[in-house]
Amino acid sequence: MRIEEIILRNMIYNEVYTRKVLPFLKEVYFHDLNERMLFEEVKEYVEKYNKTPNVETLKIGIANKSNLTEDQVDSISEMLGAFIEQKDSSSNDDWLLCINC
């Protein structure tokens, strides 16, 4: 799994992580267009509702974006499906936040 995917997955399932890293993350850090669009959707949701979105909310938000093709929406939905399968994968918060690096 790529680091961008790990970041996105943790932004969905780890609210503490999201609150710590979101102020420092930028769209340009996500080179893959689908990952960038997903990041923007998560960021917009957190800024609007002050909580992390769930996968279903993200799927709906992505599907409603007019600037995405059907293939892009499907690809992002597949990525979110993979995140669901990996939901219980433990993540070391120290590593994610690069504490004591």
Side-chain angles (χ1 to χ4, degrees):
M1 178 174 281
R2 297 177 51 242
I3 187 70
E4 293 90 344
E5 293 172 340
I6 294 169
I7 291 168
L8 290 168
R9 186 185 79 215
N10 279 282
M11 287 183 71
I12 296 168
Y13 293 117
N14 186 337
E15 188 166 351
V16 172
Y17 172 80
T18 302
R19 294 194 182 281
K20 287 182 180 180
V21 302
L22 191 57
F24 303 101
L25 293 176
K26 297 180 182 178
E27 290 87 2
V28 297
Y29 298 160
F30 297 88
H31 299 286
D32 180 85
L33 178 62
N34 294 334
E35 291 169 352
R36 184 178 304 148
M37 297 305 293
L38 183 55
F39 169 74
E40 289 175 2
E41 188 68 24
V42 171
K43 181 180 177 183
E44 289 172 10
Y45 188 92
V46 172
E47 289 172 349
K48 184 173 183 178
Y49 297 106
N50 197 29
K51 65 179 185 174
T52 56
N54 62 40
V55 171
E56 290 305 316
T57 302
L58 289 171
K59 284 183 179 182
I60 292 168
I62 291 294
N64 289 330
K65 291 220 179 263
S66 60
N67 60 339
L68 294 176
T69 66
E70 188 175 330
D71 288 339
Q72 289 172 313
V73 170
D74 292 343
S75 179
I76 295 170
S77 291
E78 286 178 24
M79 186 186 325
L80 288 167
F83 291 170
I84 291 171
E85 293 173 8
Q86 300 160 353
K87 179 180 178 182
D88 296 328
S89 297
S90 62
S91 296
N92 181 334
D93 288 342
D94 289 344
W95 175 84
L96 287 169
L97 298 170
C98 199
I99 296 174
N100 301 320
C101 293

